[in-house]
Amino acid sequence: MSRLGSCALPIGLLCVGATISLRALDGAKKLVVWMVASKLLVLPLSALAIAHFMGLPPLETNMLILFAAVPTASSAHVLAGRMGGDAQLVATTMSTGTLVAALSLTLCIRYLFI
């Protein structure tokens, strides 16, 4: 079971990579931009505001910001496919978010960490 469990993440990533389609963006570019911006910009800033409001110490504040700034997990693609959603759009949105996260995580660590 442990070997089977250790294969889950790589197989999920392979499924996402195989499903990426630029045609999935037809008519959904604004949605993808909104989703990526919400996840990678608005959520970390909201986490910073919540941490400040709650008076969290610096370590906990940094962890909250970091968890808020990471891109969407590949399990979202599997869930979308199994529940009848648009798996191609989810895969494309996730991949776009992961590429943008390389920059947004760097900026979060540089400017939002205490």
Side-chain angles (χ1 to χ4, degrees):
M1 291 306 279
S2 67
R3 287 184 189 221
L4 183 61
S6 64
C7 293
L9 180 62
I11 289 174
L13 292 174
L14 286 172
C15 290
V16 169
T19 311
I20 294 173
S21 169
L22 293 178
R23 290 184 189 200
L25 291 176
D26 290 344
K29 290 178 184 170
K30 288 182 182 179
L31 175 66
V32 171
V33 169
W34 182 79
M35 292 296 294
V36 171
S38 296
K39 175 66 178 125
L40 300 178
L41 296 175
V42 175
L43 196 58
L45 291 172
S46 300
L48 179 64
I50 290 168
H52 179 70
F53 177 73
M54 293 179 64
L56 294 178
L59 179 63
E60 284 81 1
T61 300
N62 291 342
M63 290 301 104
L64 183 64
I65 293 168
L66 186 62
F67 279 116
V70 295
T72 306
S74 63
S75 60
H77 170 261
V78 176
L79 275 172
R82 295 291 294 162
M83 297 183 78
D86 190 350
Q88 283 187 335
L89 182 60
V90 172
T92 306
T93 304
M94 286 175 40
S95 300
T96 304
T98 301
L99 290 173
V100 174
L103 175 64
S104 68
L105 274 171
T106 305
L107 293 174
C108 282
I109 290 170
R110 175 68 175 103
Y111 295 109
L112 295 182
F113 270 27
I114 297 173

